[in-house]
Amino acid sequence: MAKYTIKDIAHYCNVSISTVSRAINNDPTINKETRDRILDVVEKFNYVPNNSARNLKMSESNTVALLVKGLHNPFFQGMFDLFENGLKEKGYDFFLYTVLEDQNEFEAGLQIAKEKRLKGVIFLGGKLEKSEYTKELSVPFVLCSVPVRAGAGKGLPIVSIDDEKESFRVVDYLIKKGHKRIAIITGKHRDMAVGSIRLDGYRKAFAHNGLPVDEDLIRYMRDDLPEYSEENGYMTMKDLIDDGCDFTAVFVISDRTAIGAYKAIYDAGKTIPGDYSVIGFDGIEVTRYLYPALTTMVQPVETMVSSSIDLLMRQIGGEDIREKELYEATLIERDSVREL
Amino acid sequence: MAKYTIKDIAHYCNVSISTVSRAINNDPTINKETRDRILDVVEKFNYVPNNSARNLKMSESNTVALLVKGLHNPFFQGMFDLFENGLKEKGYDFFLYTVLEDQNEFEAGLQIAKEKRLKGVIFLGGKLEKSEYTKELSVPFVLCSVPVRAGAGKGLPIVSIDDEKESFRVVDYLIKKGHKRIAIITGKHRDMAVGSIRLDGYRKAFAHNGLPVDEDLIRYMRDDLPEYSEENGYMTMKDLIDDGCDFTAVFVISDRTAIGAYKAIYDAGKTIPGDYSVIGFDGIEVTRYLYPALTTMVQPVETMVSSSIDLLMRQIGGEDIREKELYEATLIERDSVREL
DNA sequence: GTGAAAGCGCTAACAT
DNA sequence: ATGTTAGCGCTTTCAC
């Protein structure tokens, strides 16, 4: 049943509940023998202290939570271990919480921070709206990998990349390689987050190079399919090809989506990079293993994680940090882009 | 600060704490106007009730938790939404908890069940040891997608596949296609879970067809790399090729690992399925998008999820379920295997 | 070294 | 319709 409480154990051991508490919390003042005796009983009955009661009573914990919005994002998945190890190294307990798509991440953070008396929280993913909540959050926090427009996110501790700039670089690279007709597969039309920022970068790269943008080559992921999924990449790319558009390269703003685009290209009887050059964004692990290996803009994951942890630690240490740290991504040239 | 308690709100509103409690819990007996007035203040102060206190007080919740061990497993990721929607449909709140690799999943389950007064818990992944805990768990639970050897897991509510049988089918399929020299890339040597069960199936398929097993063709993932990672697949496959082994097909026991194997084959200047046929296991989404599309044994994800939910519901309803439900996987023939 | 008692923030009888 | 009160299961002074 495992429905035992501290009272039951105390009763069984013929001691007070405080003594049991001391035993399970390894209080140094307790007698070694009583402690062992109690711990034996604890083991025997498989007694597990109720965390709610504990959290309620304890004035503070030593825990940092990572709140992930967008668990499906393979790009985030590579960060979990990094966060876990980094935080543990600093002596903090670490918990990973998932925020469902329809949940407000700050509200969730607020709630958990209270419930668990957190030392700090790191938000991974999510958007940058609802800034009201961020003010109300009583614990140190940092926003990692949120899409941030130039000028936005003022006064907030943010660790991210400059999406517009990096997107610009991707497209500029393609142009320098001799491509002029470059398609883009960006986020859903209604999604005004990363998708629109990276699209801005795309436009700027064209403008910068004195090239016209063909609106026909701008494709939004389909609303009826999960955003950034392989399937959405497949269908969106298929539409692009089926429409008979003339282009030599395509910038897919997420690696995962690019995987689907690959397939659509092959299914159309075309080759990469022979017929179409493809370039991705994020730098997730699998891209190295695609055929041909995907050229992509890889985000500085390690740096972003350690910087997030650092910013949080400094806040826990008392500093008031309201800076935005934008790190540079790295274009990894592999085999999916050819020079014209 | 957001450090307000129900008391603060009550005080500010000039009502008792119970009235505030009624307001936030939407008690029908409360006066609409007082409720609105209180809710306004709640909003204004951004008051969030402390969940620990709530959990402690409430005798039961309406929550089911999904405890995932092996968050990185892309195969599991496809199940999250299914669980969420399925459980919500039944009227349950749903939470996803991650069990870290070095944590005992049952202990974690026990703890959370107590803390949150769960209605039930679904374990996804993890092993089948520590059965002591399963007896102690006071709430209904089901073990989903755990590797289970024939005869094991007696008396436990399990939803899974018959790993040995399906592995047998994979290899038998290859043999029927004319392959005789079939390599296998299985789990780490020390990991005696799925890896060894699927290896058993491999051996049985050879025996069944009166073919000898070449021990040289049995490869375990490297201990120094994350298990089932693309990278491990790459390196293990590379070793196999570099060793100059003679084989025409390889069974990689996880799709994700197969992706790395693909790359190793290409890097060696070989083709799929021209030089080597490749077959995977799991049926994760990306396999459709690889080139060539991967032939793989796809696990009946939807069925496994709905059956898990069903088993849990029936237990919550009072039934004592101790059955093992093993569902059949489906071999999807795509383009990575050729007939000899 | 151990026990008694207060109280963490809330919900749910039970009164009013 | 609202207030009063008794805990939920723990940790932590403060006595002894």
Side-chain angles (χ1 to χ4, degrees):
Chain A
M1 278 293 292
K3 279 289 176 203
Y4 302 110
T5 71
I6 197 171
K7 228 171 172 172
D8 301 321
I9 305 298
H11 195 247
Y12 189 91
C13 292
N14 270 313
V15 294
S16 73
I17 59 167
S18 5
T19 303
V20 177
S21 176
R22 288 186 183 102
I24 55 185
N25 291 303
N26 235 306
D27 187 306
T29 74
I30 198 177
N31 179 302
K32 281 230 170 294
E33 280 153 31
T34 25
R35 198 198 58 188
D36 291 346
R37 190 163 54 88
I38 294 171
L39 258 26
D40 278 354
V41 175
V42 163
E43 180 104 353
K44 179 178 169 192
F45 286 164
N46 232 298
Y47 163 69
V48 176
N50 183 316
N51 245 320
S52 287
R54 248 186 179 165
N55 291 330
L56 186 58
K57 184 68 197 175
M58 305 217 282
S59 48
E60 64 176 50
S61 78
N62 202 35
T63 309
V64 167
L66 180 66
L67 252 79
V68 189
K69 183 145 191 178
L71 192 60
H72 292 83
N73 191 157
F75 168 62
F76 290 159
Q77 282 157 33
M79 297 172 111
F80 299 157
D81 287 344
L82 262 20
F83 271 115
E84 185 188 346
N85 295 137
L87 255 6
K88 276 192 174 161
E89 208 166 90
K90 301 277 184 191
Y92 287 89
D93 287 332
F94 164 82
F95 275 101
L96 177 66
Y97 289 97
T98 49
V99 182
L100 302 177
E101 225 45 63
D102 55 346
Q103 266 183 110
N104 177 308
E105 59 266 30
F106 290 117
E107 196 151 359
L110 230 176
Q111 218 166 288
I112 296 172
K114 260 196 166 175
E115 175 178 347
K116 303 285 187 187
R117 317 237 187 229
L118 297 179
K119 263 287 190 348
V121 9
I122 295 174
F123 293 95
L124 182 58
K127 312 228 189 308
L128 202 70
E129 306 147 359
K130 313 274 180 200
S131 48
E132 357 133 23
Y133 281 107
T134 75
K135 288 180 232 126
E136 296 300 331
L137 209 64
S138 56
V139 297
F141 67 93
V142 1
L143 271 30
C144 181
S145 195
V146 291
V148 40
R149 269 224 154 64
K154 284 247 182 297
L156 254 24
I158 294 178
V159 170
S160 201
I161 60 163
D162 185 335
D163 278 292
E164 186 181 305
K165 185 182 103 189
E166 306 301 357
S167 175
F168 175 97
R169 288 178 55 207
V170 166
V171 180
D172 191 59
Y173 166 84
L174 253 16
I175 294 174
K176 295 278 187 289
K177 284 279 183 190
H179 294 273
K180 286 187 170 53
R181 298 199 52 78
I182 302 166
I184 181 173
I185 293 180
T186 185
K188 291 185 180 180
H189 216 129
R190 308 181 318 177
D191 160 39
M192 291 291 86
V194 244
S196 80
I197 305 179
R198 292 189 189 163
L199 181 55
D200 288 349
Y202 169 90
R203 290 186 187 279
K204 291 209 173 163
F206 274 87
H208 178 80
N209 286 279
L211 250 36
V213 168
D214 180 350
E215 298 293 331
D216 243 32
L217 260 28
I218 296 177
R219 298 298 173 123
Y220 300 91
M221 287 177 210
R222 287 164 64 139
D223 277 318
D224 57 337
L225 263 21
E227 199 168 14
Y228 300 112
S229 65
E230 293 86 358
E231 193 190 2
N232 213 328
Y234 179 85
M235 295 306 295
T236 310
M237 188 72 205
K238 183 171 165 19
D239 286 347
L240 180 64
I241 296 173
D242 288 352
D243 286 354
C245 289
D246 169 38
F247 65 100
T248 60
V250 57
F251 168 31
V252 188
I253 74 155
S254 118
D255 286 341
R256 192 173 161 216
T257 317
I259 293 170
Y262 258 49
K263 177 73 174 174
I265 292 173
Y266 285 130
D267 277 3
K270 306 289 186 180
T271 62
I272 304 169
D275 294 303
Y276 302 122
S277 289
V278 179
I279 196 162
F281 202 109
D282 281 349
I284 62 171
E285 178 76 2
V286 288
T287 57
R288 300 175 45 196
Y289 300 102
L290 296 177
Y291 188 79
L294 181 67
T295 292
T296 185
M297 184 61 89
V298 356
Q299 298 201 45
V301 173
E302 282 85 0
T303 312
M304 288 167 74
V305 170
S306 61
S307 169
S308 297
I309 294 179
D310 181 58
L311 248 48
L312 193 72
M313 293 300 117
R314 282 164 56 198
Q315 287 183 77
I316 292 176
E319 283 184 58
D320 181 27
I321 294 179
R322 316 183 142 276
E323 64 197 50
K324 188 163 66 174
E325 300 206 334
L326 266 27
Y327 293 94
E328 196 140 311
T330 311
L331 187 72
I332 299 281
E333 302 191 57
R334 290 200 280 236
D335 314 319
S336 63
V337 173
R338 75 165 175 142
E339 185 144 12
L340 248 39
Chain B
M1 280 293 293
K3 278 290 175 202
Y4 303 109
T5 71
I6 198 171
K7 230 173 174 172
D8 300 321
I9 305 297
H11 195 246
Y12 188 91
C13 293
N14 271 312
V15 294
S16 74
I17 58 167
S18 11
T19 304
V20 177
S21 176
R22 287 185 185 104
I24 56 185
N25 291 303
N26 235 307
D27 187 306
T29 74
I30 197 176
N31 179 302
K32 280 228 172 295
E33 282 153 31
T34 24
R35 197 198 59 187
D36 291 346
R37 190 164 54 88
I38 293 171
L39 257 26
D40 278 353
V41 175
V42 163
E43 180 104 352
K44 178 179 167 189
F45 287 164
N46 232 297
Y47 163 69
V48 177
N50 184 315
N51 244 321
S52 288
R54 251 187 177 161
N55 291 331
L56 185 57
K57 182 65 196 179
M58 305 216 284
S59 50
E60 64 176 51
S61 76
N62 202 35
T63 309
V64 167
L66 179 66
L67 252 79
V68 189
K69 183 143 191 182
L71 192 60
H72 292 82
N73 191 158
F75 167 62
F76 290 160
Q77 283 158 34
M79 299 174 109
F80 298 157
D81 287 344
L82 262 21
F83 271 116
E84 186 189 344
N85 296 137
L87 254 5
K88 277 192 174 162
E89 208 166 271
K90 300 278 184 192
Y92 287 89
D93 287 331
F94 164 82
F95 275 101
L96 175 67
Y97 289 96
T98 47
V99 182
L100 301 177
E101 225 44 63
D102 54 347
Q103 267 182 108
N104 177 308
E105 58 267 30
F106 290 116
E107 194 149 4
L110 230 175
Q111 220 166 285
I112 296 172
K114 259 197 167 174
E115 176 177 344
K116 304 284 187 189
R117 317 237 188 231
L118 297 179
K119 264 285 191 345
V121 9
I122 296 174
F123 293 95
L124 181 59
K127 314 229 189 307
L128 202 71
E129 307 146 359
K130 312 278 180 197
S131 48
E132 356 134 21
Y133 281 106
T134 75
K135 287 181 234 127
E136 296 299 332
L137 209 63
S138 55
V139 297
F141 66 92
V142 2
L143 272 29
C144 180
S145 194
V146 291
V148 39
R149 270 225 152 64
K154 283 245 184 299
L156 254 24
I158 292 178
V159 171
S160 202
I161 58 164
D162 185 334
D163 278 293
E164 186 181 305
K165 185 182 104 191
E166 305 302 356
S167 174
F168 174 97
R169 288 180 53 209
V170 166
V171 179
D172 191 59
Y173 166 83
L174 253 16
I175 294 173
K176 296 279 186 287
K177 284 280 182 188
H179 295 273
K180 288 186 168 57
R181 298 201 50 81
I182 302 165
I184 181 173
I185 294 181
T186 185
K188 290 185 180 181
H189 216 128
R190 309 181 317 177
D191 160 38
M192 292 292 87
V194 244
S196 80
I197 304 179
R198 293 191 187 161
L199 181 55
D200 287 349
Y202 169 92
R203 291 186 187 281
K204 291 209 173 160
F206 274 88
H208 177 80
N209 286 280
L211 252 33
V213 168
D214 180 350
E215 298 292 331
D216 244 30
L217 261 25
I218 296 177
R219 298 298 172 124
Y220 300 91
M221 287 179 211
R222 287 165 64 141
D223 278 317
D224 57 337
L225 262 21
E227 199 168 14
Y228 300 112
S229 65
E230 293 87 358
E231 194 190 3
N232 213 330
Y234 180 84
M235 295 306 296
T236 310
M237 189 72 204
K238 185 172 162 21
D239 285 347
L240 180 63
I241 296 173
D242 288 352
D243 286 354
C245 289
D246 169 37
F247 64 101
T248 60
V250 57
F251 168 31
V252 188
I253 74 154
S254 117
D255 286 341
R256 192 175 161 215
T257 317
I259 293 171
Y262 258 50
K263 176 73 174 175
I265 293 173
Y266 285 130
D267 276 3
K270 305 288 186 182
T271 61
I272 304 168
D275 294 302
Y276 303 123
S277 289
V278 180
I279 197 162
F281 202 108
D282 280 349
I284 62 172
E285 179 74 1
V286 288
T287 56
R288 300 177 44 197
Y289 299 102
L290 295 176
Y291 188 79
L294 182 68
T295 292
T296 185
M297 185 61 90
V298 356
Q299 299 201 43
V301 173
E302 282 85 1
T303 312
M304 288 167 73
V305 170
S306 61
S307 168
S308 296
I309 294 179
D310 181 59
L311 247 50
L312 193 72
M313 293 300 115
R314 281 163 58 198
Q315 287 184 76
I316 291 177
E319 283 184 58
D320 181 27
I321 295 180
R322 319 185 140 273
E323 64 197 50
K324 190 163 63 174
E325 300 206 335
L326 267 25
Y327 292 95
E328 195 140 309
T330 311
L331 188 71
I332 298 283
E333 301 191 57
R334 291 201 280 236
D335 315 319
S336 64
V337 173
R338 75 166 176 141
E339 185 143 13
L340 246 41

